[in-house]
Each structure stands twice: as C-alpha cells, then as structure tokens.
C-alpha cells in the first residue's frame, strides 16, 4: 500500500464525511486515554471499521492494537500499528497539499518516533522535499530516522537540529509528532508564510503548538471540530482563553470543498478520526 494511494483514499473519505456518508460516534477513551476504541460505518458500502488500541508513551512500540474491517461479503482483522501510522501520515499529506505553497520543499519535523517516517513520506508525496530537518530530544533517534529514509529521499538534504528554533528556521512546512505537554517552538521562530501540521496531542493536557500561532494563523483546519474540542489540548486551551474563535475552526472535509487561500501561517490539527482507519483498511479489502 503506497502513501499516494492512502492520501487519495483519506482525501475521499473526508469529503464523504462532510457529505454525510458516515456514521461516526465519538471516540471512546479509557484509563486516561491509554486505551482507545474508534468505530465508523460507511452507509453507501455498508462497511464498518473498528479499531482498539493501547497507548503507552514509555513503551516500544508505543501503540499496539487491532483493526476489524467488516463489509457485506466478509471481514478481516489486521495489526493497527502500520495502518495507524499510514493513515495519520496520509491525512497530513491531504492537509499539506491543501494548505502549503505549491513550491514548498523544506520540512521541519518534531519527533522521531513511530509516526515520524510516514509524516515525512506523506509531505514528500505532495511536496517533494529538498531539505528535511529533524529535532528530537534523543538526537540518536533522529539520526536513525534520517538513516532509514536516505534511500527513499536520495536527493533530499537531511540534518538533525540542535534546538527547536534552529529546526523551524526557514521551513516551509512543519510537522509535529510528539507527546509534548508544552509548545514545541516559538511562533516568532516561524516564517511569515508556513504551514504547520500537528498530530501528536490527543489528550486535553497535551500541547504541541503555541497559542500565538493559533491566534495569528490565517486558517486553522481540524479533522473534526467535535473531536478537537474534546481531545486537542492546544485547541481547547486557545478556544477557552478566547484567542481562537470556535466559529473560525474549519473541518478538513469542508476545506477540501472550499479551499482557503494559501496565505500567512496555516495550521492543521488532527487527533485522528475513524474515517481515516476505514479509508486505509478498505484498500486492503
């Protein structure tokens, strides 16, 4: 399964979500969000995807779990880990294609964990990379990530940043894939025209983005407003403090149908919704 195929599948799924094709109940979280259950039903095909995962930040792998995909002709069960990294990368590819400049080629990546490689692959699929800079608390993990990607990105200049401000300097696109509870960088360190993706935080106490970025961004796109307001720490904090108006949040499916201008700083915040799992699982059916 290729990243471009996953991106197209996820793009179509979000358009379908906006068109009312899915029944999508809220995600169920247990044990302080260490166990998650996500389900979705696609009405036109009468197919259903259910994912159950366990998340332990200090464990390797951090995520374990399964996905069950069921349709009128049968069902299958598969490992949730590779599909989760793929679908999370794919939605970033969709958002980056929508919001980043067409000539964007410099990516700054925060985090070198299980999600990181597919974040890079997704951005590269829609905006071929000339430069990739990674910042991670453990520099050796960042170096290992770059080493694993060098054959896939032979024409890309790669580097490990010594600090957060150095990492985002000059970047056209920024991807955040961490478990941080504090903003990863200063808004002032960003270019005036930059697109930022954040997929790491999925609990109200977690934050990757500075409030100043959410306040000043030309557009803030989320996968689903309901999910963002219950799980995305930076969105919850910004809305409650009044720096981000609730009505200014744009859902990805709606943005695909009415693309915003690519101006100033743009943000995509994802906590992950089950239509993404359905979209990539369907490619295996």
């Amino acid at each position: 399964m290729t990243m471009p195929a996953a991106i197209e599948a996820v793009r179509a799924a979000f358009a379908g979500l906006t068109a009312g094709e899915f029944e999508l109940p809220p995600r169920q979280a247990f044990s302080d969000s260490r166990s998650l259950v996500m389900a979705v039903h696609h009405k036109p095909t009468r197919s259903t995807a259910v994912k159950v995962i366990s998340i332990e930040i200090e464990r390797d792998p951090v995520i374990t779990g399964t996905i069950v995909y069921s349709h009128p002709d049968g069902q299958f069960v598969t490992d949730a880990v590779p599909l989760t990294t793929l679908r999370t990368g794919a939605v970033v590819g969709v958002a980056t294609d929508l919001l980043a400049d067409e000539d964007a080629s410099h990516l700054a990546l925060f985090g070198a964990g299980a999600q990181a490689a597919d974040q890079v692959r997704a951005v590269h699929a829609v905006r071929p990379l000339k430069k990739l800079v990674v910042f991670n608390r453990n520099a050796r993990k960042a170096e290992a990530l770059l080493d694993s990607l060098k054959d896939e990105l032979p024409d890309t200049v790669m580097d490990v940043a010594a600090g957060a401000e150095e990492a985002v300097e000059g970047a056209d696109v920024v991807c955040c894939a961490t478990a941080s509870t504090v903003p990863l960088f200063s808004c002032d360190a960003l270019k005036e025209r930059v697109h930022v993706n954040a997929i790491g935080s999925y609990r109200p106490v977690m934050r990757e983005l500075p409030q100043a970025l959410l306040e000043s961004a030309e557009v803030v796109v989320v996968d689903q407003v309901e999910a963002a307001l219950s799980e995305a720490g930076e969105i919850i904090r910004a809305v409650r403090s009044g720096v981000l108006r609730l009505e200014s949040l744009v859902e990805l499916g709606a943005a695909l149908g009415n693309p915003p201008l690519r101006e100033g700083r743009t943000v995509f915040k994802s906590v992950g919704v089950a239509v993404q799992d359905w979209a990539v699982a369907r490619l295996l059916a």
Side-chain angles (χ1 to χ4, degrees):
M1 194 187 304
T2 66
M3 181 58 74
I7 289 172
E8 291 310 310
V10 169
R11 192 196 316 269
F14 272 95
L17 178 62
T18 298
E21 295 179 0
F22 291 92
E23 295 177 40
L24 181 64
R27 176 158 63 192
Q28 298 297 303
F30 306 98
S31 186
D32 196 22
S33 295
R34 291 183 176 88
S35 294
L36 303 176
V37 180
M38 307 169 67
V40 64
H41 178 72
H42 186 237
K43 291 180 283 189
T45 60
R46 292 184 294 139
S47 56
T48 301
V50 179
K51 182 169 75 172
V52 180
I53 58 174
S54 166
I55 304 174
E56 295 291 343
I57 300 299
E58 302 304 323
R59 182 182 62 196
D60 187 14
V62 172
I63 297 174
T64 59
T66 59
I67 293 176
V68 178
Y69 178 83
S70 177
H71 55 93
D73 297 323
Q75 67 178 23
F76 66 82
V77 181
T78 188
D79 185 358
V81 176
L83 263 66
T84 297
T85 63
L86 180 67
R87 63 81 140 155
T88 307
V91 77
V92 162
V94 174
T96 301
D97 195 29
L98 177 71
L99 298 170
D101 284 342
E102 291 186 1
D103 61 352
S105 62
H106 177 178
L107 170 64
L109 172 66
F110 286 82
Q115 299 277 8
D118 275 340
Q119 293 290 297
V120 175
R121 294 181 182 116
V123 174
H124 183 62
V126 298
R127 297 292 186 273
L129 294 174
K130 296 179 181 177
K131 186 173 182 179
L132 169 61
V133 179
V134 178
F135 177 66
N136 191 69
R137 289 182 301 174
N138 184 335
R140 289 185 178 180
K141 286 191 68 173
E143 292 166 358
L145 171 66
L146 294 183
D147 188 60
S148 72
L149 290 168
K150 64 182 181 182
D151 290 340
E152 297 180 53
L153 306 174
D155 300 320
T156 303
V157 176
M158 301 183 185
D159 196 13
V160 174
E165 312 302 294
E166 176 186 324
V168 300
E169 183 179 357
D172 306 310
V173 180
V174 177
C175 285
C176 306
T178 76
S180 182
T181 57
V182 296
L184 297 171
F185 51 82
S186 164
C187 185
D188 293 338
L190 296 169
K191 288 172 56 177
E192 287 302 313
R193 174 65 189 117
V194 63
H195 172 61
V196 180
N197 300 298
I199 61 95
S201 67
Y202 63 96
R203 297 165 56 204
V205 298
M206 301 170 75
R207 284 191 297 153
E208 296 182 296
L209 305 179
Q211 279 207 56
L213 172 60
L214 296 172
E215 183 177 19
S216 63
E218 293 292 329
V219 62
V220 178
V221 176
V222 295
D223 40 18
Q224 186 189 41
V225 170
E226 180 183 2
L229 291 177
S230 63
E231 299 180 346
E234 48 270 277
I235 299 295
I236 294 169
R237 188 183 184 92
V239 170
R240 286 179 177 173
S241 65
V243 304
L244 179 64
R245 293 182 297 110
L246 177 58
E247 58 269 25
S248 70
L249 292 174
V250 181
E251 292 193 337
L252 180 57
L256 290 170
N258 184 24
L261 296 175
R262 295 167 174 165
E263 294 180 348
R265 293 165 175 162
T266 56
V267 173
F268 174 61
K269 171 58 199 168
S270 174
V271 293
V273 291
V275 294
Q276 298 164 241
D277 301 304
W278 174 87
V280 294
R282 191 183 182 199
L283 294 179
L284 296 176

